[in-house]
Amino acid sequence: MSLVATTGRARPRARLTGVGTYVPTRVLTNAELEEMVDTSDEWIVSRTGIHERHIAADDEATTDLAAAAVRDLLERTGTDPSSVDLLVVATTTPDYVFPPCAPLVGTKSGMDYVAAYDTNAVCSGFMYGIAQATGMIESGIARRAVVVGAETLSRIIDWDDRATCVLFADGAGAVMLEADEGEQGSGVMGVELGSDGSSPSDLWVPAGGTRTPRTDDTPRAESCIQMNGREVFRFATRILVESSNRLLTEAGMTIDDVDLMVAHQANERILDHASERMGIAREKVVMNLDRYGNTSSASIPLALADARDRGMLEDGAVLLMVGFGAGLTWGSVLVRWEPRS
Ligand code: ACO
């Protein structure tokens, strides 16, 4: 349904009530990558923790992945698609320059007339999407929101660049946020968002935008992900800890109040470093990048669903979600997991 509201009513909470996912069926293993570039399973596993990843079929694009994740979410939560009034798709790999993905995903999922738009903060996009939907719900503008993280990064990978092609992959995840007049301490409890645009080329796709439009002479590598891995690694390890701590302090909580940390799945070593620095037990840090690689804005909902499937996600659990990525951008969200019974 379309979004129509007056503001200034009593403030509801934004409750996190479900998660759905989709990954393409094609699995690309490290052994296959050994045939494509000068790398080894041993290097990839020891430096990143990744064993395999999913890659979209030629006829699959981001809205197909996103719509499949939304359908999984609607089925699991028993939600009538026409009751969703806000749909936010976080992606950096849209089907087109425009239209945005979200209206297409809404139609594919049966959400006629839903308020729908895309947001792009690369690997932090899902956190920005959650923050936006929370704001809309808390201000009384939206009642039931779906936030999707979906990427077809395989289309912007330089398959000759061993430094990046072993990392990135495709997938989609979606969550439901619903208005609830619940007590303090339920729903989304806080967000921390930030950015630093002083070194965009540390992680970017140089060509294809308005600064450097793609021409017939543009080398393919210029239209693909390029990364200063060491700088991004330094930034990621620092910001994961800083953003989490800022948010916990603001919320009057400590890391001991967190039941599960669901952070962006970029590199096992980044997550190990963060868990050590923050003093959170490794069993409380969700890791599934071994099977999915780095799926950018999709990685946090994919990890959340994995935690659910592995029985790590108890009703009422306090989740600390943290995203970080190109921009540079970052975002953390503290939220209680309150699935609809
Ligand atoms: N196979 C074999 N060797 C490789 C490969 C590969 N796939 N890739 C790089 N190497 C080589 C390099 O050429 C270098 O060789 P040299 O010493 O002869 O020059 C050597 O391995 C070490 O390279 P480093 O870049 O120093 O390796 P490092 O230990 O830093 O690991 C990595 C590289 C995994 C990319 C790491 O820097 C990293 O994880 N960075 C953060 C990446 C990240 O998280 N990006 C995304 C975050 S945001 C987002 O998701 C969009």
Side-chain angles (χ1 to χ4, degrees), residues 177-339:
L177 288 169
E178 300 186 64
D180 181 63
E181 277 68 31
E183 303 146 16
Q184 282 292 103
S186 73
V188 174
M189 293 177 271
V191 303
E192 201 269 341
L193 303 171
S195 73
D196 174 1
S198 58
S199 315
S201 59
D202 278 348
L203 183 52
W204 70 342
V205 175
T210 53
R211 182 161 305 279
T212 313
R214 197 176 298 127
T215 68
D216 289 349
D217 299 326
T218 307
R220 184 172 141 68
E222 297 286 302
S223 303
C224 292
I225 301 169
Q226 297 184 4
M227 182 175 70
N228 179 345
R230 281 177 207 182
E231 273 311 311
V232 176
F233 192 92
R234 258 194 286 275
F235 155 73
T237 46
R238 175 176 62 79
I239 209 66
L240 221 167
V241 178
E242 285 182 9
S243 177
S244 303
N245 285 342
R246 270 197 291 269
L247 177 54
L248 286 167
T249 304
E250 183 68 24
M253 295 167 78
T254 72
I255 197 68
D256 296 334
D257 297 314
V258 173
D259 296 306
L260 216 51
M261 181 158 168
V262 193
H264 175 43
Q265 305 286 302
N267 186 319
E268 189 176 357
R269 289 188 294 144
I270 293 174
L271 297 177
D272 280 345
H273 177 272
S275 66
E276 202 172 298
R277 283 277 309 279
M278 293 169 66
I280 182 167
R282 206 165 178 282
E283 315 81 77
K284 287 186 171 184
V285 180
V286 184
M287 278 201 220
N288 70 350
L289 56 86
D290 55 326
R291 284 169 295 126
Y292 296 110
N294 179 343
T295 57
S296 190
S297 65
S299 90
I300 291 174
L302 281 172
L304 181 64
D306 229 53
R308 176 201 59 206
D309 296 344
R310 282 191 263 159
M312 296 167 75
L313 199 51
E314 294 193 357
D315 289 8
V318 173
L319 311 178
L320 173 60
M321 302 185 188
V322 195
F324 50 85
L328 301 165
T329 57
W330 64 88
S332 299
V333 171
L334 263 173
V335 59
R336 213 175 267 284
W337 171 247
E338 297 165 292

Side-chain angles (χ1 to χ4, degrees), residues 27-55 153-154 156-170 224-227 229 265-269 288-296:
V27 173
L28 179 68
T29 63
N30 289 351
E32 288 173 276
L33 283 165
E34 284 177 352
E35 304 293 315
M36 295 162 62
V37 286
D38 180 14
T39 191
S40 65
D41 176 57
E42 194 279 329
W43 192 96
I44 301 170
V45 172
S46 64
R47 296 300 181 106
T48 72
I50 302 168
H51 290 256
E52 59 187 35
R53 70 287 287 147
H54 293 254
I55 301 294
L153 293 170
S154 58
I156 56 165
I157 289 173
D158 176 358
W159 292 104
D160 294 325
D161 177 11
R162 68 177 183 174
T164 53
C165 76
V166 302
L167 304 175
F168 298 101
D170 304 335
C224 292
I225 301 169
Q226 297 184 4
M227 182 175 70
Q265 305 286 302
N267 186 319
E268 189 176 357
R269 289 188 294 144
N288 70 350
L289 56 86
D290 55 326
R291 284 169 295 126
Y292 296 110
N294 179 343
T295 57
S296 190

Side-chain angles (χ1 to χ4, degrees), residues 114-127:
V114 68
Y117 66 94
D118 289 4
T119 188
N120 179 4
V122 200
C123 304
S124 318
F126 188 73
M127 294 296 90

